[in-house]
């Protein structure tokens, strides 16, 4: 999918994951993530709360940057009065 590489020692099966939370906690401390496999394919990634919160903050910041770029682009675009825009869209009142 995205070419993410996982280390063998950070992976565990879904059944092992559901039975052994102590091992999950140990792996999170040592590897900072746990890759849970189902049918030998990555099914989910478990992260420490701090890692998730950092990732979420970065994603939120990227979204704000994208919105700011759109605002800047639109500031320089053609200004059309509302009645003209409605006319162009065929939504004017008759």
């Amino acid at each position: 999918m995205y070419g993410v590489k996982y280390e063998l020692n950070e992976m565990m099966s879904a059944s092992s994951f559901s039975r052994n939370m102590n091992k999950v906690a140990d792996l999170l401390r040592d590897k900072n993530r746990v890759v849970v496999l189902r049918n030998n394919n990555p099914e989910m990634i478990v992260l420490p709360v701090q890692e998730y919160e950092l990732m979420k903050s970065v994603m939120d910041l990227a979204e704000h940057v994208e919105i700011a770029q759109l605002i800047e682009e639109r500031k320089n675009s053609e200004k059309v009065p509302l009645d003209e825009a409605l006319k162009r869209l065929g939504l004017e009142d008759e």
Side-chain angles (χ1 to χ4, degrees), residues 2 31 33 47 49 57 70:
Y2 294 104
K31 296 296 178 183
R33 69 180 179 185
L47 301 171
V49 171
S57 294
L70 285 171

Side-chain angles (χ1 to χ4, degrees), residues 4-45:
V4 175
K5 303 286 187 217
Y6 306 109
E7 295 178 27
L8 189 58
N9 61 1
E10 66 186 6
M11 294 186 215
M12 65 182 352
S13 68
S15 58
S16 178
F17 174 78
S18 66
R19 287 191 312 258
N20 197 345
M21 289 306 292
N22 288 333
K23 184 175 180 183
V24 172
D26 291 342
L27 278 171
L28 282 175
R29 271 192 299 281
D30 294 344
K31 296 296 178 183
N32 224 25
R33 69 180 179 185
V34 176
V35 180
V36 180
L37 304 174
R38 181 175 283 166
N39 299 323
N40 291 324
N41 293 309
E43 179 73 18
M44 70 178 96
I45 305 290

Side-chain angles (χ1 to χ4, degrees), residues 62-77:
E63 182 180 15
H64 290 297
V65 167
E66 184 178 347
I67 290 168
Q69 289 172 338
L70 285 171
I71 290 169
E72 285 303 312
E73 288 172 12
R74 290 178 183 174
K75 276 184 180 173
N76 299 323
S77 66

